[in-house]
Amino acid sequence: MSEKTYDVVVIGGGVIGSSIARELSRFQCDVLLVEKEEDVCSGTSKANSAIVHAGFDAKPNTQKAEMNVRGNEIMGELSEQLDFAFRRNGSMVLCFDKESEPALKELYDRGVANGVKGLELLTGDQARAKEPNLEDTVTAALWAPTGGIVDPFELTIAMAENAADNGVEFRFNTEVENVEKTAGGYRLTTNSGMISTKYVVNAAGVYSDKIHNMVSEKKLSIKPRRGEYMLLDKNAGGLVDATIFQLPTKLGKGILVTPTVHGNILLGPTAVDQEDKEATNTTPEGLEDVQAKASLSVKGIPVRQVITSFSGLRAHEAGDDFIIGECPDAEGFFDAAGIESPGLTSAPAIGEYLAGLIAEKEHFTRKADKDFIATRRGVIHAANLSPEERAELIRKNPAYGMMVCRCEMISEGEIVDAIRRTLGARSMDGIKRRTRQGMGRCQAGFCTPRAMEILSRETGIPMEEICKNRKGSELIKG
């Protein structure tokens, strides 16, 4: 029996790869997404600022600017179609002295050139009228009402589930070790066998240079840029309503203070370039820097209410722009490389753009509207329902009345749904990202054993083999 040849293989199951896969599923083609971890949303997409950027920061006429503004524009409709949390809370960039105000005006002009709507330059007093907890040292601010916040886990998982429902095949724990050109396209060598395909899409995050350099003489170099964060308890959630930035530097948009869609406050990130593409540890120095710089923007940050800290890696490329499109010296190989901030915002637009480029080359047949499923329903969160709705849900399925995670009020019914649904969770992190079990004040200190029991019961995975995420992260030892 001859080996199957796919039309497209997408390498990487983060927010970019999942978006590309979803958009490709609009066409009549065989698509496979391969991911080296046990689940989607396991790299950069799981640890970021969760911001939907307005689009004033990127230089005009760059792919960053184009994709940012388009991604922001369609995020609202996408959240309704795919049932993930998103809110346009607006964003504000702060200036702390008169000498820096021309740079703020430059940011405003850049945003206008990029087509960002509703931008305003505010005095310090006008900024404090919108956000009373801003520091008295703020002299001016840029206000962007189209800025927003999103759940990056939900966004990624929603697009991946929808892609799978529309026919995209997913293979996890599958690491690409080599890519070589063939007469009919490409052959991928993976840790679990060979894969043949007509086209390749490289959405491998901090490893996108490694994948690109397997087929192209024009080499890329991706520098992992680590950003450290601190997350505050929901009790601190009223500190600010908008996302508060400081004037950006060459290393990025600086330390921000922002609400999350779930009611917490997030501080960060730092920006430290490093060589190790797996080093996502936090450091005392980094977290001290987050706290000190966040306090320049906002008064009275209750740092004693920090419930967790984490870090993530951004895929910084020396050219300081996204690399999106067909590789000039490798026909049929498409890059989505160097996707750092505002990558989360840009993901829907990047998927739309790249799928369109590939479809033009192959002349894929677009599916009829009735064949493409545009919508997806997320995990039902019983705590968000009205008392009447919740009572009816529990009447139909008593598991929704059995509380597992008391901090976030997550029931057994939600965990079972997360496991049984399309691309269901197979690890503790997989459950956490789909339900928020373990994300509250106690950080899974009490609910982990029960969640493990449910995962084992539903999947048949022995308790001693249940992992936090990838193989090797088993929670029970000995």
Side-chain angles (χ1 to χ4, degrees):
M1 182 176 176
S2 63
E3 178 185 312
K4 177 178 179 178
T5 298
Y6 291 90
D7 292 308
V8 188
V9 171
V10 180
I11 303 172
V15 70
I16 304 299
S18 296
S19 176
I20 295 165
R22 178 181 188 258
E23 290 300 322
L24 283 169
S25 73
R26 295 179 183 272
F27 299 92
Q28 299 286 3
C29 56
D30 286 323
V31 181
L32 169 67
L33 185 147
V34 296
E35 166 57 48
K36 70 184 182 71
E37 303 295 346
E38 92 294 348
D39 198 1
V40 296
C41 199
S42 293
T44 298
S45 302
K46 77 174 187 296
N48 54 67
S49 304
I51 300 301
V52 175
H53 292 280
F56 51 74
D57 185 61
K59 293 179 182 177
N61 304 313
T62 60
Q63 288 192 315
K64 275 187 181 180
E66 180 183 348
M67 298 300 159
N68 185 161
V69 174
R70 174 61 181 160
N72 178 294
E73 182 182 89
I74 61 181
M75 193 66 74
E77 181 183 0
L78 191 65
S79 71
E80 292 177 5
Q81 289 179 337
L82 298 183
D83 194 22
F84 59 83
F86 165 66
R87 180 166 78 91
R88 289 197 189 279
N89 63 320
S91 56
M92 194 179 285
V93 184
L94 306 183
C95 185
F96 299 96
D97 55 71
K98 295 290 183 183
E99 292 73 21
S100 299
E101 288 181 18
L104 196 70
K105 176 62 163 60
E106 184 180 330
L107 211 58
Y108 169 86
D109 292 338
R110 187 180 290 181
V112 170
N114 288 343
V116 180
K117 297 174 182 176
L119 291 175
E120 291 181 65
L121 288 169
L122 307 177
T123 65
D125 288 340
Q126 288 172 327
R128 278 182 286 275
K130 285 183 177 291
E131 290 291 345
N133 288 322
L134 293 183
E135 276 290 354
D136 296 337
T137 51
V138 174
T139 62
L142 173 62
W143 169 246
T146 59
I149 50 179
V150 70
D151 184 322
F153 314 129
E154 284 188 0
L155 171 59
T156 306
I157 291 166
M159 291 194 292
E161 286 182 1
N162 190 236
D165 286 339
N166 281 296
V168 175
E169 183 182 337
F170 284 71
R171 289 189 201 172
F172 297 110
N173 301 304
T174 302
E175 183 171 1
V176 175
E177 298 170 343
N178 192 39
V179 182
E180 58 182 322
K181 191 80 175 75
T182 65
Y186 290 88
R187 180 181 293 274
L188 280 60
T189 304
T190 79
N191 62 338
S192 56
M194 300 290 223
I195 301 170
S196 295
T197 181
K198 296 175 186 173
Y199 299 104
V200 173
V201 179
N202 170 26
V206 293
Y207 291 97
S208 54
D209 56 345
K210 178 183 174 182
I211 300 296
H212 169 96
N213 294 343
M214 291 175 181
V215 301
S216 176
E217 291 301 315
K218 186 180 179 182
K219 304 303 182 185
L220 293 182
S221 177
I222 300 294
K223 180 78 71 172
R225 180 168 286 173
R226 185 174 65 202
E228 299 181 47
Y229 295 88
M230 301 167 77
L231 184 71
L232 277 62
D233 188 71
K234 291 180 180 179
N235 287 345
L239 189 67
V240 292
D241 185 65
T243 298
I244 308 300
F245 294 99
Q246 299 166 358
L247 267 175
T249 69
K250 64 180 181 179
L251 287 176
K253 301 174 180 68
I255 301 296
L256 58 81
V257 181
T258 184
T260 72
V261 290
H262 301 292
N264 302 84
I265 290 289
L266 183 66
L267 314 177
T270 54
V272 178
D273 288 342
Q274 59 184 42
E275 297 300 324
D276 190 342
K277 297 184 187 237
E278 294 291 330
T280 56
N281 57 295
T282 58
T283 63
E285 301 78 21
L287 296 178
E288 286 173 12
D289 192 38
V290 169
Q291 180 180 335
K293 289 181 177 175
S295 297
L296 297 175
S297 300
V298 177
K299 298 176 184 176
I301 296 175
V303 291
R304 293 193 177 205
Q305 293 194 46
V306 171
I307 59 173
T308 191
S309 58
F310 62 93
S311 77
L313 301 178
R314 289 162 272 176
H316 178 70
E317 204 279 325
D320 201 31
D321 194 11
F322 297 160
I323 299 169
I324 309 170
E326 189 172 17
C327 185
D329 62 346
E331 184 180 1
F333 183 95
F334 292 81
D335 280 310
I339 312 296
E340 56 183 338
S341 179
L344 186 71
T345 311
S346 304
I350 293 171
E352 184 181 69
Y353 175 72
L354 268 180
L357 286 184
I358 296 167
E360 283 178 10
K361 284 190 67 71
E362 180 62 19
H363 306 295
F364 293 151
T365 302
R366 183 176 288 274
K367 291 182 180 179
D369 288 345
K370 64 181 177 64
D371 293 331
F372 176 72
I373 306 164
T375 59
R376 163 264 189 194
R377 182 71 187 269
V379 172
I380 296 173
H381 294 292
N384 296 337
L385 301 177
S386 69
E388 296 77 17
E389 290 171 328
R390 189 172 181 183
E392 179 61 16
L393 180 64
I394 293 170
R395 187 188 67 77
K396 291 179 178 177
N397 185 347
Y400 283 96
M402 299 176 184
M403 209 53 57
V404 176
C405 173
R406 288 179 170 82
C407 295
E408 292 292 315
M409 298 297 287
I410 306 301
S411 68
E412 179 175 339
E414 288 152 80
I415 294 173
V416 170
D417 183 3
I419 296 166
R420 291 182 180 177
R421 64 195 293 112
T422 301
L423 302 181
R426 292 297 179 269
S427 66
M428 297 305 292
D429 279 355
I431 293 173
K432 179 174 72 172
R433 291 176 198 139
R434 286 163 176 82
T435 67
R436 293 187 57 78
Q437 174 265 321
M439 286 192 174
R441 187 175 300 169
C442 87
Q443 289 291 293
F446 291 95
C447 56
T448 295
R450 181 63 186 133
M452 289 175 66
E453 289 172 0
I454 297 168
L455 181 59
S456 179
R457 182 192 74 204
E458 293 294 321
T459 63
I461 301 172
M463 285 284 284
E464 62 272 18
E465 294 180 16
I466 288 177
C467 294
K468 182 181 186 298
N469 39 62
R470 67 178 70 168
K471 189 172 178 58
S473 64
E474 292 83 3
L475 278 78
I476 295 176
K477 299 291 183 181

